[in-house]
Amino acid sequence: MIKYIERTRAYYSEQGYPAYQWASNNIIPFAAMQKPLSECRVVLITTAAPYRKGLSDQGPGAPLNGAAKFYNVYTVPVTPCPDLRIAHVAYDRKHCKADDSNTWLPLTALHHACRKKVFANLAGELIGVPTNRSQRVTLTQDAPKTLEYVQALQADVALLVPNCPVCHQSVSLIARYLEEHEIPTVVMGCARDIVENVGVPRFWWSDFPLGHAAGKPHDSGSQTATLAGALQLFITAQGAGTTVQSPQLWSNSDDWKQDFMNIENLSAEQIEKLKGEHEKTRAMKKKG
């Protein structure tokens, strides 16, 4: 397991940034299911961003694109499948080609599960939540707005799918807020330490590179199984803080775990270059 909290702290510390204080909670809310999953309406909550023309490269393999970042909770119809991308966040760009949106946006698998009557129906719109380093903004602005949309969509349960390290924190905080308002949730993600540090009721953990919370790319079997495991938690979780690990392996080797934001793999010149790139990204955000 990658210790993302330690890894990211060391990564940014070497660039001269102060240590970020990740959210941590000892008490975890838990909303019990009020009816069988087969009778529930599911809403999908994502940190992916709508594609916006003219904001530089947002396609597969694009570098981190701060200009594509969004700051307000949004909704978009689930049919036809919306064009939502992850160029705005720090997913694992070495091991995620980002050429299959089903790895971060499980709509195909959700539609399939709905046809199989695993749940009653899928909300007509999904909800997009910002990746926000400010926990205060997430809790006072984004979480209440998300709840408002969940209620307007008349969803019974919510499935939350993050991408980058901060995404995992943001959706975990929102999951807690929804649970406090009697909406059962499942977080389906890859950064176990961050999610468990925040403290969520139900977590389906895939030990995959960031960007693959919904399964392996171009592998419908993996994507179907990942969703099935996550949905099963609505049925089987008996109390708060339930984490279940996916039985799937990314590969026969764990070498990929040595790459993401690992400061030990970088030279002084590379670290200095990274700092310059981050300052440009921050300037873009302020300008936007």
Side-chain angles (χ1 to χ4, degrees):
M1 180 181 86
I2 296 177
K3 295 182 179 179
Y4 286 98
I5 292 176
E6 293 181 11
R7 185 78 63 86
T8 55
R9 278 179 176 162
Y11 182 81
Y12 287 109
S13 175
E14 284 296 319
Q15 297 176 58
Y17 296 108
Y20 180 69
Q21 296 302 311
W22 293 87
S24 179
N25 297 283
N26 294 320
I27 299 174
I28 304 174
F30 185 82
M33 295 285 286
Q34 298 302 306
K35 54 186 176 181
L37 180 62
S38 60
E39 298 177 11
C40 288
R41 172 176 290 181
V42 177
V43 64
L44 175 63
I45 299 176
T46 180
T47 58
Y51 171 72
R52 288 182 288 169
K53 196 172 181 179
L55 294 181
S56 300
D57 190 1
Q58 299 158 65
L64 182 62
N65 187 345
K69 188 174 176 66
F70 64 98
Y71 298 93
N72 296 298
V73 179
Y74 70 85
T75 62
V76 65
V78 297
T79 304
C81 186
D83 188 357
L84 304 183
R85 308 189 185 188
I86 56 175
H88 64 300
V89 293
Y91 65 90
D92 187 336
R93 281 172 166 76
K94 182 170 183 178
H95 299 281
C96 178
K97 294 181 179 180
D99 60 353
D100 179 7
S101 64
N102 292 297
T103 69
W104 66 81
L105 194 72
L107 280 176
T108 299
L110 279 165
H111 285 306
H112 179 71
C114 187
R115 289 193 295 271
K116 289 275 196 177
K117 302 188 185 304
V118 175
F119 54 89
N121 53 69
L122 181 64
E125 296 181 322
L126 61 76
I127 302 171
V129 297
T131 298
N132 206 318
R133 288 174 63 87
S134 171
Q135 297 161 34
R136 179 189 60 79
V137 171
T138 297
L139 288 170
T140 62
Q141 175 179 301
D142 300 336
K145 192 64 178 178
T146 301
L147 175 63
E148 179 184 322
Y149 282 137
V150 170
Q151 292 173 333
L153 291 167
Q154 298 182 316
D156 301 297
V157 299
L159 178 69
L160 301 95
V161 185
N163 293 290
C164 73
V166 178
C167 289
H168 280 74
Q169 175 176 260
S170 296
V171 302
S172 296
L173 290 171
I174 289 172
R176 289 174 56 87
Y177 188 89
L178 294 177
E179 295 274 344
E180 290 168 352
H181 291 81
E182 304 304 321
I183 304 293
T185 66
V186 169
V187 173
M188 189 165 80
C190 300
R192 179 171 183 169
D193 61 328
I194 294 174
V195 175
E196 291 187 336
N197 205 55
V198 176
V200 301
R202 307 167 188 83
F203 176 40
W204 180 261
W205 175 47
S206 296
D207 194 13
F208 289 171
L210 297 179
H212 299 105
K216 296 181 181 181
H218 309 293
D219 186 335
S220 60
S222 171
Q223 294 160 12
T224 297
T226 300
L227 177 69
L231 292 176
Q232 188 67 16
L233 277 179
F234 284 118
I235 300 169
T236 60
Q238 298 300 307
T242 298
T243 294
V244 176
Q245 179 178 354
S246 168
Q248 297 182 57
L249 295 177
W250 177 251
S251 68
N252 292 327
S253 169
D254 280 345
D255 289 349
W256 62 272
K257 296 181 182 180
Q258 300 302 315
D259 297 324
F260 184 77
M261 285 191 177
N262 192 344
I263 202 69
E264 295 179 1
N265 294 343
L266 302 177
S267 67
E269 289 183 356
Q270 289 174 314
I271 293 171
E272 194 61 30
K273 182 180 178 182
L274 277 172
K275 185 174 181 179
E277 290 172 352
H278 289 145
E279 289 301 320
K280 285 181 183 177
T281 299
R282 290 177 69 185
M284 257 189 232
K285 291 177 185 177
K286 289 179 181 178
K287 186 176 180 181

